[in-house]
Amino acid sequence: MNRLQLWKVVSVVLLACGLASAQTITSFSAPGAGTGAGQGTGGFGINPQGTVVGSYLDDGNVFHGYQCVSGCGTASTFTTFNAPGAGTSAGQGTITFAINVFGVIAGYLIDANNVSHGFVTTAPFKHFTILDEPDAGKGAGQGTIAGNIKPEGGEIAGSYVDSNGVSHGFVTAPPYRTFTSFDPKGSVYTIITVVSALNQEGEVDGAYLDANGALHGFARAANGTITKFNVKGAGTGSGQGTSASSINDLGQITANYIDSNGVNHGFLRQRSGAITTFNVSAAGNGSGQGTIPEGINLGGEITGQYVDSSGANHGFVRSQLGAITTFDAPGAGTASGQGTLPATPNLYGVITGQYIDSNNVHFGFLWNPQSRSEVKSNQQ
């Protein structure tokens, strides 16, 4: 049994008992992050070794990428970087999403013309491979986004916006000279979510908008076969329907569906097509409120957020047996649009994400189910 296989076996055992142990939430800020409203640090991807990647918005509202190790506990654990060609004006810069077991990172840059370009890089961030899907548009708001990287390989899944402003999915693999574009039949706009929408089997999940503006989920197999699905109870109007956020190596998919009243509900879809729906009991029942899963790991553990009746966000973890644990990062605001927003769990159930405080400043966090019961904070 090699080391990668051992990680997977051990992780399932840890996940089975992790929620029964105490929890630690560690907050962090990347060096250079802004402290104004809408600025700060977001945690997006985390690999089995606990390395976190994400982006921060500085006081000039420019994005920069970062990687942190050792629990992101001090400034010395961070490495910040900018992709070549990234713009330096507000709303431009470097945005980093996903990291695999080998430390290879995927993300995208927004250049001085507000065009997006995907990239792949690894520490010490001296070399970047720029990814431009051949059919991607070259105007403002168009271009290529590399949102996901295979857990144990270099394959990339993402999306691109063409010259007509229409989004499509794509996959590419090293040496990144060939791109395969795809859209489910009936799609007028294909959405590939980021961080964990590509598994080790080469399956990609996502959602698409039909001509009426309704959402539908899909899974694309490595051979290109696309399976479309809808959750029973999903609305059929514009802005309603079924999404797909994350897929694990067993082909399990999690995301939210939006009902005819605009309320979000969580679901878990098995590769067989069987679907289990769920709601966090404290979630609100108004339009835009409810339960929104974001990520699923190999053990079937799901993390995400729920929006309460006041419009504030809170974190949750759903175990493989269906038990739901809720949490809030210390310092998270409680007003509408504030609160705790988990992104994804790694192989061992450690979660990264971000929270928004009462001043609307963003901070990254790590939620660790195996640690001792103490709350640490490192807001630099």
Side-chain angles (χ1 to χ4, degrees):
M1 180 180 294
N2 64 34
R3 186 171 64 174
L4 297 178
Q5 291 171 324
L6 180 61
W7 274 336
K8 291 186 175 182
V9 171
V10 172
S11 72
V12 174
V13 175
L14 290 175
L15 290 173
C17 61
L19 293 179
S21 60
Q23 308 161 21
T24 294
I25 300 178
T26 305
S27 64
F28 59 84
S29 289
T35 57
Q39 299 172 353
T41 303
F44 297 132
I46 181 170
N47 68 8
Q49 296 97 317
T51 302
V52 175
V53 295
S55 295
Y56 68 92
L57 197 63
D58 67 21
D59 57 11
N61 294 313
V62 179
F63 291 99
H64 309 269
Y66 74 84
Q67 171 182 287
C68 63
V69 298
S70 303
C72 308
T74 64
S76 65
T77 66
F78 283 81
T79 303
T80 61
F81 57 87
N82 296 293
T88 57
S89 296
Q92 300 172 356
T94 301
I95 300 174
T96 304
F97 288 127
I99 181 169
N100 71 8
V101 69
F102 300 113
V104 184
I105 293 169
Y108 76 106
L109 66 96
I110 304 172
D111 68 19
N113 296 312
N114 295 309
V115 181
S116 298
H117 309 269
F119 68 78
V120 178
T121 188
T122 189
F125 310 115
K126 302 297 184 183
H127 176 74
F128 289 74
T129 299
I130 304 300
L131 309 176
D132 286 310
E133 213 286 340
D135 294 323
K138 297 177 174 60
Q142 301 170 1
T144 303
I145 296 175
N148 305 272
I149 187 164
K150 185 176 282 189
E152 297 170 12
E155 183 177 346
I156 299 291
S159 59
Y160 69 93
V161 177
D162 65 22
S163 58
N164 294 314
V166 178
S167 180
H168 312 267
F170 77 86
V171 291
T172 184
Y176 307 116
R177 298 190 183 114
T178 302
F179 291 74
T180 301
S181 173
F182 62 87
D183 291 286
K185 186 177 180 179
S187 172
V188 300
Y189 198 93
T190 301
I191 303 162
I192 307 299
T193 51
V194 298
V195 184
S196 58
L198 170 66
N199 70 9
Q200 191 59 30
E201 305 303 315
E203 297 170 302
V204 182
D205 74 344
Y208 69 93
L209 290 172
D210 65 21
N212 296 316
L215 285 161
H216 308 271
F218 73 87
R220 180 188 184 273
N223 66 6
T225 301
I226 293 177
T227 302
K228 301 184 290 185
F229 61 88
N230 294 291
V231 177
K232 184 178 180 180
T236 58
S238 178
Q240 301 169 1
T242 302
S243 187
S245 295
S246 180
I247 185 169
N248 68 12
D249 290 351
L250 300 178
Q252 295 175 308
I253 292 172
T254 193
N256 62 300
Y257 69 93
I258 305 170
D259 67 21
S260 58
N261 294 312
V263 182
N264 295 283
H265 309 269
F267 73 87
L268 168 64
R269 182 185 187 271
Q270 305 293 338
R271 182 176 279 156
S272 65
I275 293 176
T276 302
T277 61
F278 62 90
N279 294 289
V280 177
S281 60
N285 296 311
S287 179
Q289 300 171 2
T291 302
I292 307 173
E294 298 287 352
I296 185 169
N297 62 14
L298 181 66
E301 185 179 50
I302 295 170
T303 189
Q305 60 178 295
Y306 69 93
V307 184
D308 67 22
S309 58
S310 297
N313 303 287
H314 310 267
F316 77 85
V317 183
R318 182 185 186 272
S319 76
Q320 56 190 313
L321 301 178
I324 293 177
T325 300
T326 62
F327 65 92
D328 292 291
T334 58
S336 179
Q338 299 174 355
T340 303
L341 297 90
T344 185
N346 74 0
L347 198 58
Y348 299 105
V350 181
I351 298 165
T352 193
Q354 62 184 302
Y355 70 89
I356 304 171
D357 72 9
S358 58
N359 295 312
N360 295 309
V361 181
H362 296 238
F363 299 89
F365 75 82
L366 284 168
W367 184 91
N368 194 323
Q370 277 85 46
S371 299
R372 291 174 299 175
S373 180
E374 57 179 329
V375 176
K376 302 177 181 179
S377 180
N378 176 48
Q379 298 178 2
Q380 300 170 324

